[in-house]
Amino acid sequence: MYYNDKEIALNQILKNIQLLENQISEIIVSYYIPIPLKINGIKVNMSLFDLMQLIISDYKNVVLKDFYEGLD
């Protein structure tokens, strides 16, 4: 797989995550209401919206950042 193909695939994954977030927000009434969640063994009160934003942020900061730094 060439770098351009990887870039397209990684950006498509991000778009799919954002699409999923939009669909969930339209379906789930309590999307913005904090609920108890267990993340990495730690119990936190977090809304599904916050969780999706965390996933998107982590993806951008880890996956995409590593990919683009690897191009240098």
Side-chain angles (χ1 to χ4, degrees):
M1 186 179 281
Y2 296 103
Y3 281 118
N4 192 36
D5 293 338
K6 287 182 182 180
E7 181 179 18
I8 291 169
L10 291 174
N11 283 317
Q12 186 60 48
I13 291 170
L14 178 59
K15 288 178 185 176
N16 289 342
I17 292 170
Q18 291 169 331
L19 176 63
L20 176 63
E21 189 233 345
N22 288 334
Q23 293 299 312
I24 291 171
S25 69
E26 291 177 8
I27 296 170
I28 300 177
V29 176
S30 62
Y31 186 64
Y32 298 99
I33 300 172
I35 57 174
L37 298 171
K38 196 171 192 178
I39 300 174
N40 295 331
I42 300 170
K43 290 183 182 179
V44 296
N45 282 328
M46 180 182 286
S47 69
L48 293 176
F49 170 78
D50 293 332
L51 180 59
M52 287 300 294
Q53 295 307 307
L54 182 64
I55 291 168
I56 291 169
S57 176
D58 287 348
Y59 184 84
K60 287 179 180 178
N61 291 330
V62 176
V63 177
L64 291 179
K65 183 179 176 186
D66 286 351
F67 174 76
Y68 288 116
E69 286 178 356
L71 293 178
D72 296 334

